[in-house]
Amino acid sequence: MILARVVGTVVSSHKAPKIEGIRFLLLEKIDPVTLKGKNDFVVSMDSVGAGTGEIVFYVSGSSARFTDVTEGKPTDSAIIAIVDNIEKDGSFTYQKSQ
Amino acid sequence: MILGKVVGTIVSSTINDGIKGSRYLLVEKTDQYGKKLGDYLVALDIIGVANDELVMVTEGSPSRETPETVSKPVDALIVGIVDLIDENETVVYSK
């Protein structure tokens, strides 16, 4: 799975059948140490209700279709987790501010 | 498979992976000498790996080929801890 930050949403009204009512989020891959964006973006189906600014990780390829939200959908990317914290070598590089 | 070193853990309370007690580790890709390459991924750990271990990671749909991950949304799975790597008859990495 790949770590990314939710940087926006993608709205599409004219789209393939069977994908109504699904949120598409714009994700930017991040470096887990510096949390800096890598200027590498992907559109991913949201299965956890992630909001803009949150750090998530997403699954790609056929495995993206194995969530309740994306099952049987033409997607190769699904957000499966909102990250609370990232620990590296004993210290936190990221902690979700609550 | 790719080689990587376990360098940390990812904690997430809002998760939709359908796996009870899933454990996600931060893995930094390495070469066969264990040299870190500055590229990271999140991998599911079902075999119990300690920090700083060199591991083999399977990517893509084959990650679903275990009892714990069948039909689960996983595309990176730690499949083994590396004890030793030899290249051209020379040991290049040993635990």
Side-chain angles (χ1 to χ4, degrees):
Chain A
M1 285 64 67
I2 303 293
L3 285 161
R5 178 180 285 110
V6 180
V7 294
T9 58
V10 177
V11 177
S12 165
S13 50
H14 188 94
K15 52 195 177 206
K18 294 197 301 186
I19 51 176
E20 291 77 20
I22 288 183
R23 267 160 49 87
F24 299 94
L25 297 182
L26 183 64
L27 305 182
E28 181 177 15
K29 293 183 188 179
I30 56 163
D31 177 289
V33 180
T34 63
L35 302 184
K36 267 173 43 35
K38 294 179 163 187
N39 198 28
D40 184 355
F41 298 85
V42 68
V43 180
S44 189
M45 277 191 184
D46 178 20
S47 86
V48 284
T52 300
E54 288 188 311
I55 291 188
V56 298
F57 59 79
Y58 66 91
V59 59
S60 307
S62 58
S63 295
R65 288 182 283 111
F66 286 88
T67 76
D68 46 7
V69 172
T70 57
E71 191 186 356
K73 302 287 194 297
T75 182
D76 63 359
S77 178
I79 300 165
I80 59 165
I82 299 172
V83 173
D84 292 335
N85 57 55
I86 302 173
E87 173 265 325
K88 178 173 186 285
D89 295 327
S91 58
F92 288 122
T93 61
Y94 167 73
Q95 279 180 289
K96 189 173 174 191
S97 52
Q98 214 76 33
Chain B
M1 275 72 76
I2 57 169
L3 290 165
K5 205 157 245 198
V6 172
V7 294
T9 53
I10 308 287
V11 172
S12 166
S13 46
T14 316
I15 190 155
N16 184 27
D17 61 2
I19 303 169
K20 264 198 300 301
S22 51
R23 200 166 110 85
Y24 290 97
L25 299 183
L26 183 63
V27 175
E28 182 169 1
K29 296 182 185 180
T30 69
D31 61 18
Q32 64 272 34
Y33 313 108
K35 189 167 85 67
K36 294 175 181 171
L37 303 174
D39 191 6
Y40 299 82
L41 73 150
V42 177
L44 181 69
D45 173 26
I46 57 171
I47 59 173
V49 182
N51 205 41
D52 217 25
E53 299 258 30
L54 192 70
V55 292
M56 296 182 292
V57 179
T58 284
E59 290 187 289
S61 51
S63 307
R64 303 198 305 268
E65 296 292 338
T66 72
E68 294 87 345
T69 59
V70 62
S71 303
K72 296 292 191 298
V74 183
D75 69 0
L77 176 73
I78 295 175
V79 294
I81 298 172
V82 175
D83 295 324
L84 181 140
I85 301 175
D86 76 72
E87 184 185 3
N88 301 324
E89 313 292 333
T90 342
V91 173
V92 293
Y93 172 85
S94 72
K95 199 175 161 177

